[in-house]
């Protein structure tokens, strides 16, 4: 089978498509023939080895884990001897972290990880990015911010994968949503539920007179120092994008500034959040917006496009 890997840090040109043996499932694993997989900003940051202090965990001089991709959707090809939940032919989706990547043609996944039967009302393309965008944002809104009905949230980067997920989820949770995006994406973020939109190309959020219970900086371009005047007395500033500045701000303002790596939560906690999302998709209350799709051999182009900062929603790799 073919798989995307990178053996050194750098530009998208370091990505290689290699041939490897199709894995055989262990007794507690299923083998999935991948139909679609996600490509995210987090993937590009790990490929570049940034922020550089992150290399203490990723690999100091070269990546420890050379595989790419965390979100997937596909069809069960084979099952291990202990599998009881899934059978050959089932359409499944989920994520697999810190191991063999999902930007490949096949993947072995343990039955008790974050994986579930794909709802019939969404495609493999729509299912593949769910754990990258929706699961991360749901964790921030529900578990970190404890967003409540009637609260006001500002979502920066509202047209991206994390941001567009957060807009939809925040509305479902009963919050008032102010979205920040560029001019060309205003109609899109309104269509997915934003109550108000700030065009950052015309208005700096530091010049607005409003108080928010939550500021969710999904793209890591805001500063708490500049944003804190927009927070209510008990408000919280949170971001999934780690930086030295955020670490410093968390140290001195631990109740106001929040960062979390969703993927390191306990599997049981992630699965419960994931199952909530599955139910919402089954009810037709969430939608995954696909900006572009690429074939596995063209994954370099997906990474190049991601780095332009023009992505709207999600990017996926599609296998035949």
């Amino acid at each position: 089978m073919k798989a995307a890997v990178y053996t050194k840090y750098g530009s998208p040109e370091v990505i290689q498509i290699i041939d490897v043996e199709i894995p055989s499932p262990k007794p507690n694993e299923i083998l999935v023939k991948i139909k679609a997989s996600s490509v995210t900003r987090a993937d590009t940051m790990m490929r570049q080895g940034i922020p550089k202090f992150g290399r203490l965990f990723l690999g100091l001089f070269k990546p420890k884990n050379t595989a790419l991709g965390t979100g997937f959707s596909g069809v069960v090809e084979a099952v291990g001897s202990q599998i009881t939940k899934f059978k050959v032919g089932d359409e499944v989706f989920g994520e697999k972290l810190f191991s063999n990547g999902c930007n490949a043609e096949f993947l072995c996944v343990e039955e008790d990880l974050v994986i579930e039967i794909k709802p019939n009302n969404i495609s493999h393309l729509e299912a593949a990015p769910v754990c990258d965008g929706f699961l991360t944002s749901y964790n921030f809104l529900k578990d970190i911010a404890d967003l409540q009905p009637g609260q006001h949230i500002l979502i920066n980067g509202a047209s991206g994968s994390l941001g567009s997920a957060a807009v939809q989820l925040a509305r479902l949770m009963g919050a008032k949503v102010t979205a920040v995006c560029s001019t060309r994406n205003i109609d899109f973020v309104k269509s997915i539920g934003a109550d108000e939109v700030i065009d950052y190309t015309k208005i700096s959020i530091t010049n607005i007179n409003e108080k928010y219970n939550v500021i969710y900086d999904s793209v890591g371009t805001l500063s708490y120092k500049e944003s804190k005047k927009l927070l209510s007395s008990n408000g919280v500033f949170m971001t999934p994008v780690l930086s030295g500045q955020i670490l410093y701000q968390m140290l001195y303002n631990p109740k106001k500034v929040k960062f979390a790596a969703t993927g390191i939560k306990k599997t049981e906690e992630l699965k419960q959040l994931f199952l909530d999302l599955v139910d919402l998709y089954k009810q037709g209350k969430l939608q995954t917006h696909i900006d572009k799709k690429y074939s596995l051999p063209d994954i370099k182009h997906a990474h190049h496009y991601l780095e332009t900062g023009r992505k709207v929603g999600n990017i996926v790799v599609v296998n035949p």
Side-chain angles (χ1 to χ4, degrees), residues 8 13 15 17 33 70 92 129 157 189 205 219 227 260 280 283:
K8 59 183 179 180
E13 299 308 311
I15 300 173
I17 303 299
K33 182 177 175 60
T70 56
V92 296
V189 296
I205 70 163
V219 288
S227 307
L280 291 171
Q283 296 172 49

Side-chain angles (χ1 to χ4, degrees), residues 136-150:
T136 298
S137 287
Y138 190 40
N139 173 51
F140 271 84
L141 300 185
K142 183 176 184 291
D143 289 353
I144 298 175
D146 189 26
L147 189 66
Q148 297 295 313

Side-chain angles (χ1 to χ4, degrees), residues 69-81:
T70 56
F72 70 90
S73 184
V75 179
V76 177
E77 185 85 357
V79 299
S81 59

Side-chain angles (χ1 to χ4, degrees), residues 38 40 70-72 93-98 113-116 126-145 160-170 173 216 218 238 240 260-281 286-288 314:
S38 62
T40 69
T70 56
F72 70 90
F93 75 123
E95 73 173 354
K96 190 173 185 186
L97 304 168
F98 316 121
L113 292 183
V114 180
I115 181 170
E116 188 56 65
E126 294 167 319
V130 167
C131 290
D132 294 298
F134 280 94
L135 187 58
T136 298
S137 287
Y138 190 40
N139 173 51
F140 271 84
L141 300 185
K142 183 176 184 291
D143 289 353
I144 298 175
S161 176
L162 293 165
S164 60
V167 169
Q168 296 177 64
L169 290 166
M173 296 168 77
Y216 179 41
S218 71
M238 58 187 192
T262 302
I264 64 173
K265 286 177 75 78
K266 293 180 179 179
T267 300
E268 297 76 16
E269 295 172 342
L270 281 177
K271 286 183 69 173
Q272 187 53 60
L273 293 173
F274 181 54
L275 291 175
D276 288 349
L277 295 174
V278 173
D279 284 341
L280 291 171
Y281 268 99
L286 297 176
Q287 64 181 67
T288 306
N314 300 272

Side-chain angles (χ1 to χ4, degrees), residues 18 25 36 57 67 82 96 104 108 122 148 153 171 186 198 238 248 269 284 288 306 319:
I18 63 171
F57 309 99
Q82 298 175 4
K96 190 173 185 186
C108 279
I122 62 173
Q148 297 295 313
I153 182 172
R171 279 301 304 273
I186 289 175
I198 296 172
M238 58 187 192
Y248 174 82
E269 295 172 342
T288 306
L306 258 169
N319 295 332

Side-chain angles (χ1 to χ4, degrees), residues 26 64 157 175 241 320:
K26 297 176 182 176
K64 295 177 183 177
V241 183

